């Protein structure tokens, strides 16, 4: 039977002493956590282990002896070490031995039957697995292994053996408090002996975090209370708020900031990562926004933009007028119905004329408005992009209106045509049974129906053409807005802290472990090095993705085409009202 | 003395032939009806920016191919009472490793599959289903890019079965 001994690499150069750790009988493996050095008093060692066991709920015991000796074996030490087996009884009792300056290890595991029956003690083979204690302590396994509730002592950990090792090391923080450089009664060697990196800034930040969080939490609660007041629930304002994507983005950011600065501690590592990701995302957003602001102000782009905006709006209106003139003529060689053409064309032209008047009315205030809007970029790049998307929506409002008129007319025509086509064939739509039934019409009903049907059929190309043109324009605007929203979603949901952690400290996010076989000599035990296998980047993004507003179009391509054909209105971001997250 | 681990590496044999490079003598094709066209193509290629961009993109593509696609060798490591580890090393030196614990492994088998007009054999690991004791939750194929032939697979299979049998024998005994 092969026993496994997990040995920390930091203890490989420690002086001789006792091995302290946890024995997992189901995997027949021993996890060594520290080495207790000579001289020690057994009573004090037992007291320390009892304290640690109570504090960390891990069954820490003395597992065996560790001997790091020079070339000549010391006989007295050997006998002394064997005698220790009688004081700290543990089954099996490990005896690890290493010659100083060489790579040859030897280990024995004996089942101590009693001081009188040496011959009956069985020896088992031992496999040494080295692990980096600090990395295993700090890493989290993905997916997190659910271990059953633990009582003091060994429990039946039916999870995978390696998850038990990780869990043991992670919970044994209490053992790592004292060190071999301490003056206490017991001197231990573990990962802390190699030195822990500490930073003054990190300590200061931790100390200052408490009051700062409290202050910011109060401020944020004030802001959210102000935004939730009754004035904003009145009909015109609430309608506008729900349509503008800027308000959506601001609300989202407010929620995130409230979560970050809440004074409740994170319950598990996943929540902590989420908080950290949100904080980094907000900071990056603000940094990018400030960069954008400085770039805009340096080149005085705002003034140029304000000067260029009115001519651009005029130009767009002129192009639309040319388009309508083209439609009113013979577009693409098609012959349109003259009267309907003129009616629709003149109606839309008047609409454009109204729109241009309004734009010219607003032109003195444009620069001031744009300046204030540019200032909002210091709230974040996402807010600036949302404002841009809203400005595009407002400036192309007339295209949206034309699309609605064209779609409604076309929809009406299609419904009329389908109903009259049924009449033409002598059928009727039965509303009660929701199906098409045959029906006998009177002669005058048939006559008028056929007349109307013919009129609608011959007017169809004109309406269909207007509908097609304006739908294409609307889809173009929707695509541009969609791209902006995609960028905003990307900045909102990318887990930058987790990606940075994966890049700089890959052992923190572990997908598993990997083993490497170290040099093997015959007669010596097998030695393996256990390293942490980090999580691939795609899984990091998938696991730690932040939830966004979820403003994605919910139709598939098929339903979109169907809606376009029948002239039903398309609302790409209808789901803004109901957030599912 | 029993040596509880075996690792067998299969070497991937490359059967590539170097493409022959024919140097086109530009003078030979300049004269003739295609002369104008080739002159235009040559002039546009003379533009160093386009050329350097094309070279840069090709180099990037090659590095990406070596780092993400081209697998140099694959290794299988079975350690009794610990688990099975598969490592793929890419041409750029990157290694991607998967480790399956022995508690999850049900068996290692050679599967036959009919692909187009031939029958292919591949070695795979069957994983236990936590819910159903006799079920299989997943089949993990091995040596996907080396694709060794049946004689090679049979050797690997025999070694794996030795170790798995030994592991089952020792795990059932107290």
């Amino acid at each position: 039977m092969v026993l496994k001994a997990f040995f920390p690499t930091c203890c490989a150069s420690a002086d001789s002493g006792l091995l302290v750790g946890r024995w997992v009988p189901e995997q027949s493996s021993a996890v060594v956590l520290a080495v207790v050095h000579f001289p020690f008093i057994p009573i004090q060692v037992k007291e320390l282990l009892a304290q640690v066991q109570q504090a960390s709920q891990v069954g820490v015991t003395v597992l065996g002896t560790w001997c790091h000796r020079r070339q000549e074996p010391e006989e007295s030490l050997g006998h002394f070490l064997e005698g220790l087996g009688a004081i700290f009884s543990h089954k099996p009792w490990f005896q690890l031995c290493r010659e100083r300056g060489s790579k040859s290890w030897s280990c024995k595991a004996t089942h101590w039957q009693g001081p009188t029956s040496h011959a009956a003690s069985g020896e088992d083979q031992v496999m040494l697995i080295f692990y980096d204690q600090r990395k295993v302590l700090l890493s989290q396994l993905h997916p997190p292994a659910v271990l059953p509730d633990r009582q003091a002592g060994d429990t039946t950990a039916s999870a995978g053996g390696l998850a038990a090792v990780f869990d043991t090391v992670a919970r044994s923080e209490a053992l790592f408090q004292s060190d071999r450089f301490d003056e206490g009664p017991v001197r231990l060697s573990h990962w802390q002996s190699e030195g822990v990196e500490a930073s003054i800034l990190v300590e200061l930040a931790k100390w200052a975090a408490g009051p700062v969080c409290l202050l910011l939490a109060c401020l944020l609660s004030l802001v959210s209370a102000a935004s939730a007041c009754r004035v904003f629930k009145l009909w015109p304002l609430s309608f506008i708020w729900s349509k503008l994507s800027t308000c959506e983005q601001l609300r989202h950011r407010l929620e995130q900031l409230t979560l970050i600065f809440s004074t409740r501690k994170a319950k598990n590592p996943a929540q902590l990562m989420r908080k950290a990701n949100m904080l980094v995302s907000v900071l990056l957003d603000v940094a990018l926004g400030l960069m954008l602001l400085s770039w805009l102000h340096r080149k005085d782009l705002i003034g140029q933009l304000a000067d260029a905006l009115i001519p651009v709006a005029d130009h767009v209106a002129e192009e639309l007028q040319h388009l309508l003139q083209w439609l009113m003529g013979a577009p693409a060689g098609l012959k349109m119905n003259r009267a309907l053409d003129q009616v629709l064309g003149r109606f839309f032209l008047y609409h454009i004329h109204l729109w241009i008047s309004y734009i010219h009315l607003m032109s003195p205030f444009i620069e001031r408005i744009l300046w204030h809007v540019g200032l909002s970029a210091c709230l974040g790049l996402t807010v600036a992009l949302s404002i841009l998307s809203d400005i595009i929506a407002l400036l192309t409002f007339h295209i949206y209106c034309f699309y609605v008129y064209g779609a409604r007319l076309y929809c009406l025509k299609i419904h009329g045509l389908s109903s009259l086509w049924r009449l033409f064939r002598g059928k009727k739509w039965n509303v009660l049974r929701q199906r098409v039934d045959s029906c006998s019409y009177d002669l005058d009903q048939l006559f008028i129906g056929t007349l109307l049907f013919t009129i609608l059929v011959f007017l169809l190309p004109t309406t269909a053409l207007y509908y097609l043109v304006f739908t294409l324009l609307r889809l173009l605007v929707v695509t541009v807005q969609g791209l902006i929203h995609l960028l905003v979603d990307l900045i909102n949901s990318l887990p930058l802290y987790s990606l940075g952690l994966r890049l700089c400290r890959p052992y923190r996010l572990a997908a598993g472990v990997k083993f490497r076989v170290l040099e093997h000599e015959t007669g010596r035990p097998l030695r393996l090095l256990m390293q942490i296998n980090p999580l691939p980047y795609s899984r990091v993004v998938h696991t730690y993705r932040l939830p966004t507003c979820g403003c994605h179009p919910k139709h598939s391509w098929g339903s979109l085409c169907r809606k376009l054909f029948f002239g039903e209105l398309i609302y790409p971001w209808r789901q803004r009202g109901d957030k599912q997250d | 003395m029993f040596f509880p681990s075996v690792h067998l590496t299969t070497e991937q044999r490359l059967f590539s032939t170097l493409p022959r490079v024919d140097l086109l003598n530009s003078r030979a094709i300049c004269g003739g009806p295609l002369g104008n066209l080739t002159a235009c193509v040559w002039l546009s290629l003379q533009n160093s920016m386009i050329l350097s961009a094309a070279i840069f993109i090709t180099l990037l593509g090659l590095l990406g191919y070596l780092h993400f696609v081209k697998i140099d060798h694959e290794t299988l490591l079975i350690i009794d009472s610990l688990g099975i580890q598969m490592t793929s090393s890419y041409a750029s030196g990157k290694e991607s490793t998967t480790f399956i614990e022995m508690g999850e492994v049900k068996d290692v088998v050679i599967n036959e599959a009919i692909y187009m007009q031939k029958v292919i054999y591949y070695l795979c690991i069957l994983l236990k289903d936590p819910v159903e004791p006799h079920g299989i939750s997943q089949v993990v194929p091995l040596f996907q890019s080396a694709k060794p032939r049946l004689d090679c697979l049979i050797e690997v299979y025999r070694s794996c079965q030795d170790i798995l049998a030994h592991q089952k024998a020792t795990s059932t005994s107290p």
Side-chain angles (χ1 to χ4, degrees), chain A residues 1-2 4 6 125 127 129 160-163 513-517 520 523-524 526 528 533, chain B residues 1-5 7 77 79-82 85 95-99 101 166 170 173-174:
Chain A
M1 186 98 170
V2 180
K4 302 181 280 238
F6 289 86
Q125 279 196 334
M127 191 160 60
I129 302 174
L162 294 161
V513 294
K514 51 189 181 193
F515 292 92
R516 192 158 63 95
V517 181
H520 179 80
R524 298 289 185 182
L526 180 66
L528 300 165
N533 202 12
Chain B
M1 176 161 154
F2 187 75
F3 184 61
S5 85
H7 59 266
L77 175 69
I79 306 170
D80 190 7
S81 80
L82 206 55
Q85 171 171 295
E95 287 193 359
S96 104
T97 320
T98 325
F99 178 75
E101 296 187 42
H166 181 260
T170 50
S173 65

Side-chain angles (χ1 to χ4, degrees), chain B residues 17-18 27 51 66 69 83 87 99 110 119 129 151-152 172:
Chain B
T17 54
L18 293 171
R27 267 167 286 172
L51 190 62
L66 289 179
V69 177
T87 315
F99 178 75
I110 299 183
V119 177
D129 196 3
D151 45 1
C152 210
T172 49

